[in-house]
Amino acid sequence: MGEIGLVMIIGLIVLLAIGVPIAFTIGLLAAVGIWMADVNPMILPQQFIAGSSVTSLLAIPGFILAGEVMSAGGLSRRLVRVAETFFGHLTGGLSMSTVAAGTFFGAISGSAPATTAAVGSIMIDELEDRGYQRGYAAALATAVGPLGQMIPPSIPMVIWGVLAEESIAKLFLAGIIPGLIAATGFCIVSVLYARHHGVAKEKRATGKEFLFALKDGIWALLAPVVILGGIYSGMFTPTEAAMVGVLYSAIVGLFLYRDLDWRKMPSILMSSMRTTAVIMFIVAVAYGFAWVMASEQIPAQLTQALLALTDNPIILLLIVNIMLLLLGAVMDNISAMVILSGVLIGLGQQIGLDPIQLGAMVVINFAVGMVTPPVGYSIFVASSISGLRVETVARHIWPFMLVLLGVVALVAYVPAITLWLPATFG
């Protein structure tokens, strides 16, 4: 590997180790790489602009805003109520209701932290009041967050689709079965926990209560149908679907549920703009970093180095998944995807991995990173909502981590898990 490659890789490790924010780290290293290569420095801002100007990235602010409006408009609260009427009377029913609510909200927001925030703000106190340990409740809210990245629409799937030039709609389909498997695993954990700790069952909802919850929550339940149905019917693209989601959530919140006040809109818009700005800043500087890496052929060199270790695709997949899990625990997943995309795409081609399966594997590995200290955003969100220390939440999260690791293994070694739906409906 050349001098520039060594400087950039060592610099990345050192700067992250001393706590420099990831966006500043990769921006600085991109500038250093341009300087060392004696290339016109104007290329760097051009790459920053190019990285943030891809049309498909317009879906990101749309899905972020849609999630914020739906949460403020009462849709998430009604989803929880519907889930409770279905599962509340079962062993571990309230915990399973949290999983179901996270699954539904994940099909709206596309974001792990947003899903954790929406579900956790309602359910953590409720779970504690019904006999669950607060640490378990916070860990559960953390764990359902990644469902927002697996189940479509998914913001990381949009970014990977742009990077790999793959169909975003097919990537969305690839995440559905892994997301449902993870949700099923969380429900099993819920039952085992309730039995072990003697959590009492809730009374079964009456027919009247069930019908009221269903009637009250019907507009919330229809949100994923409108968004995803529009995409797969061909009515609109994923980018347009994000804007339809914003419009739908605003109409429902303002005029049907009337939980959303016009006076709340400026704060909702500001919150969405802050989240979008952070993501787009990382994407922009990461594009510059990735351009320098590609121009120095560093991804190709790293791919060859990995292939030199072994030519066994099973072992290679294991090495790649371990690497992704470790990086997901210490790096922001969006910047990590942009930086590693060249290496991963090249490696996938070398071992014959389907590009859609590769994309799902990358996104799901980094989704696990969202619940893993020290950079797991979802665990910090749950810690903030619950008032517990991150270490306390982390101590309770290991059963959910086992489920997520099982999903990672299935995605890597059973192609049908991610490829059957895209092949059938893509």
Side-chain angles (χ1 to χ4, degrees), residues 13-189:
I13 295 170
V14 171
L15 290 175
L16 289 176
I18 63 176
V20 178
I22 183 65
F24 293 105
T25 294
I26 56 183
L28 176 62
L29 290 174
V32 170
I34 289 283
W35 174 73
M36 291 182 67
D38 197 23
V39 176
N40 186 339
M42 284 304 297
I43 287 179
L44 196 57
Q46 289 171 0
Q47 289 300 315
F48 289 170
I49 293 170
S52 57
S53 301
V54 180
T55 304
S56 298
L57 293 176
L58 282 171
I60 293 174
F63 284 128
I64 291 172
L65 180 57
E68 293 268 3
V69 174
M70 287 177 180
S71 184
L75 280 79
S76 55
R77 178 164 49 82
R78 286 169 173 84
L79 288 173
V80 170
R81 185 184 298 163
V82 172
E84 280 191 71
T85 62
F86 272 98
F87 301 104
H89 63 283
L90 302 174
T91 301
L94 193 64
S95 183
M96 285 193 281
S97 300
T98 306
V99 176
T103 304
F104 272 109
F105 195 81
I108 297 172
S109 72
S111 164
T115 304
T116 293
V119 176
S121 60
I122 299 169
M123 295 303 295
I124 289 177
D125 290 339
E126 189 77 10
L127 285 162
E128 185 180 30
D129 291 343
R130 307 283 183 89
Y132 294 84
Q133 294 177 350
R134 191 168 184 82
Y136 170 86
L140 176 61
T142 302
V144 300
L147 298 178
Q149 293 191 187
M150 297 183 201
I151 296 173
S154 163
I155 291 171
M157 290 286 193
V158 173
I159 292 173
W160 184 263
V162 171
L163 295 173
E165 299 181 355
E166 295 293 336
S167 165
I168 294 171
K170 286 187 177 183
L171 286 167
F172 280 179
L173 283 170
I176 292 176
I177 293 178
L180 294 177
I181 292 173
T184 302
F186 294 162
C187 287
I188 294 171
V189 172

